[in-house]
Amino acid sequence: FFFFQAEDGIRDAQESRGLGDVYKRQTMKRADDTGTNIGCAITYQCVKTTAQIYPSQQLLENSATTISRLLTSEHNNLKYLGINALISIVQVNPKYAMEHQLVIVDCLESTDETLKRETLELLYRITNGGNVDAIVDKLIIHLKASADPHFKKELVNKIISLSERFAPSQE
């Protein structure tokens, strides 16, 4: 349901604004207030949809606030949803990850491998010239610790990509 609405709104600022108003006033607030797994799932889908429609600053702010509730959950599955939702909205504006830096680092220390991998993906996507060294260091730490050859290959590709993207210019 949400995805089809987002598809209608993606191309049109007016339709996206109307859809955003509905999410802001109704769906996201009601789902988030329930505190149940289904409420969290609906909230997650709202945040993912928010990242797909024509950008609304207020809606993105609300999404970032909602994500913080998922990220601070005691349950790794909800933290995973929070990290995954954050990946969606940082593609629109990377600043939203900055307010969650400490939680992101905590997720890297989790014993849940899936959560760690998704967190490394988030770090890769928020890399910029100011944090590239720290993020590459984190990727290398996890590369050394991993026994999974497929995951190691993925990490090596990310490290190479970041090295190429942020290498000093030869000019």
Side-chain angles (χ1 to χ4, degrees):
F1 175 69
F2 297 114
F3 179 73
F4 294 122
Q5 286 183 323
E7 280 295 313
D8 289 340
I10 284 173
R11 294 168 202 80
D12 185 85
Q14 184 63 32
E15 288 182 35
S16 289
R17 189 175 309 120
L19 180 59
D21 289 343
V22 170
Y23 281 1
K24 233 180 336 196
R25 282 180 289 158
Q26 301 293 326
T27 312
M28 207 179 290
K29 180 170 179 10
R30 286 183 183 170
D32 196 40
D33 286 346
T34 67
T36 63
N37 283 343
I38 192 67
C40 291
I42 292 169
T43 299
Y44 168 77
Q45 288 301 326
C46 287
V47 170
K48 295 283 282 186
T49 301
T50 297
Q52 296 296 315
I53 62 177
Y54 193 85
S56 157
Q57 187 68 27
Q58 186 177 4
L59 196 53
L60 289 170
E61 296 284 339
N62 289 349
S63 294
T65 301
T66 300
I67 287 171
S68 68
R69 290 188 197 109
L70 294 172
L71 290 173
T72 56
S73 170
E74 293 179 14
H75 304 287
N76 284 341
N77 59 336
L78 295 179
K79 286 181 182 180
Y80 177 88
L81 287 180
I83 293 290
N84 189 273
L86 195 53
I87 287 171
S88 296
I89 69 166
V90 298
Q91 290 177 38
V92 177
N93 191 336
K95 79 173 192 169
Y96 294 108
M98 295 308 135
E99 64 191 68
H100 302 294
Q101 289 181 52
L102 295 176
V103 176
I104 292 169
V105 171
D106 285 345
C107 288
L108 280 177
E109 306 306 320
S110 173
T111 57
D112 185 320
E113 286 298 316
T114 307
L115 179 58
K116 270 197 246 188
R117 289 179 185 207
E118 195 71 359
T119 304
L120 288 168
E121 180 65 29
L122 172 62
L123 289 177
Y124 173 74
R125 294 196 186 205
I126 64 169
T127 304
N128 60 42
N131 65 13
V132 65
D133 290 339
I135 290 177
V136 167
D137 286 345
K138 292 286 184 191
L139 294 174
I140 290 171
I141 288 168
H142 288 276
L143 174 65
K144 289 178 179 178
S146 178
D148 180 351
H150 299 291
F151 183 55
K152 282 185 164 197
K153 181 179 179 184
E154 184 180 326
L155 288 174
V156 167
N157 287 335
K158 285 180 180 355
I159 292 166
I160 290 169
S161 171
L162 292 175
S163 298
E164 288 173 350
R165 191 168 15 150
F166 294 102
S169 171
Q170 295 297 328
E171 297 174 1

